[in-house]
Amino acid sequence: MFLENTVNHKEQFGWIEVICGSMFSGKTEELIRRLKRAQFAKQKVEIFKPTIDTRYHDEMVVSHDANEIRSTPVPAAANIAILAQGCDVVGIDEAQFFDDEIVKICNDLANQGIRVIVAGLDMDFKGNPFGPMPALMATAEYVTKVHAVCTRTGNLANYSFRKTDNDKLVMLGETEEYEPLSRAAYFYAMKKDDEK
């Protein structure tokens, strides 16, 4: 379990925490857990998500098991820098959908003494690093990789397999469009798709 950094309260720098993994791995659930703990501790918390993420709610960050927390949808990373002033903790969901400026924004916020918690897919449906996530993981003090359960083998899953023929990189979806797969199951599923 992740424990918050509580060593030196006099240090004026914040830090970055990244929660990553495949779809259905509990990334948003863990993000919400950490943010609610900060709210319980009476810290000033702001949560952001990309405006394109409207799967469950326009303004709430909602996990697959319906846990939720109020957020501010923003069209670009630059908006976060403006809206996060005066916060103790900033949460960002679905970070893979933001432009590359999100990396600079997160580092700038951490350098201002803000704790930044970012959740997002580390790989796209093709198994490639997704958007700004690799750079966020590289500059973060803490990286938590969470895993789903493979729907075909029951093993740990770290791949998001797209079940539809859509080749667009960004395609919002749920269990109808995606399933979490282990490395082996993903390899065989992709091989089968290539043979079609």
Side-chain angles (χ1 to χ4, degrees):
M1 174 181 290
F2 176 81
L3 295 175
E4 291 82 358
N5 181 348
T6 57
V7 178
N8 184 350
H9 296 288
K10 294 179 181 172
E11 184 176 64
Q12 293 302 303
F13 278 75
W15 62 88
I16 301 171
E17 304 164 23
V18 172
I19 305 161
C20 63
S22 69
M23 292 193 62
F24 313 110
S25 62
K27 297 178 303 299
T28 300
E29 186 72 23
E30 178 62 12
L31 174 69
I32 292 170
R33 184 189 75 81
R34 293 183 194 184
L35 293 171
K36 285 187 174 180
R37 284 173 55 90
Q39 288 176 332
F40 184 75
K42 307 274 190 264
Q43 295 175 321
K44 187 169 188 294
V45 176
E46 287 291 337
I47 303 108
F48 302 96
K49 71 175 190 172
T51 53
I52 63 167
D53 182 17
T54 57
R55 284 173 298 173
Y56 293 117
H57 195 278
D58 288 344
E59 293 180 357
M60 302 293 273
V61 167
V62 183
S63 67
H64 293 296
D65 64 353
N67 198 355
E68 62 185 24
I69 194 166
R70 182 151 306 283
S71 70
T72 302
V74 292
N79 300 95
I80 295 172
I82 298 163
L83 298 170
Q85 296 306 310
C87 293
D88 299 309
V89 181
V90 169
I92 302 169
D93 196 30
E94 303 293 355
Q96 75 278 356
F97 293 144
F98 282 107
D99 51 278
D100 288 340
E101 191 176 0
I102 191 77
V103 179
K104 181 182 182 317
I105 299 296
C106 289
N107 279 284
D108 288 348
L109 291 172
N111 292 342
Q112 295 169 28
I114 297 171
R115 175 184 176 197
V116 182
I117 312 170
V118 179
L121 292 167
D122 53 355
M123 291 188 289
D124 62 24
F125 76 100
K126 294 180 180 179
N128 297 318
F130 203 159
M133 289 301 290
L136 283 167
M137 292 164 67
T139 58
E141 281 80 359
Y142 304 99
V143 177
T144 304
K145 183 151 182 168
V146 290
H147 295 83
V149 175
C150 179
T151 55
R152 300 183 188 189
T153 67
N155 291 328
L156 288 180
N158 61 317
Y159 289 88
S160 302
F161 179 70
R162 186 177 289 172
K163 300 189 284 186
T164 64
D165 286 334
N166 188 331
D167 269 342
K168 286 176 56 178
L169 182 61
V170 175
M171 184 185 105
L172 296 177
E174 288 300 317
T175 55
E176 295 299 314
E177 294 82 17
Y178 294 97
E179 67 179 311
L181 297 181
S182 66
R183 178 180 294 275
Y186 180 80
F187 174 81
Y188 291 119
M190 293 299 283
K191 187 175 178 183
K192 187 176 178 183
D193 276 0
D194 289 342
E195 292 170 355
K196 286 182 185 177

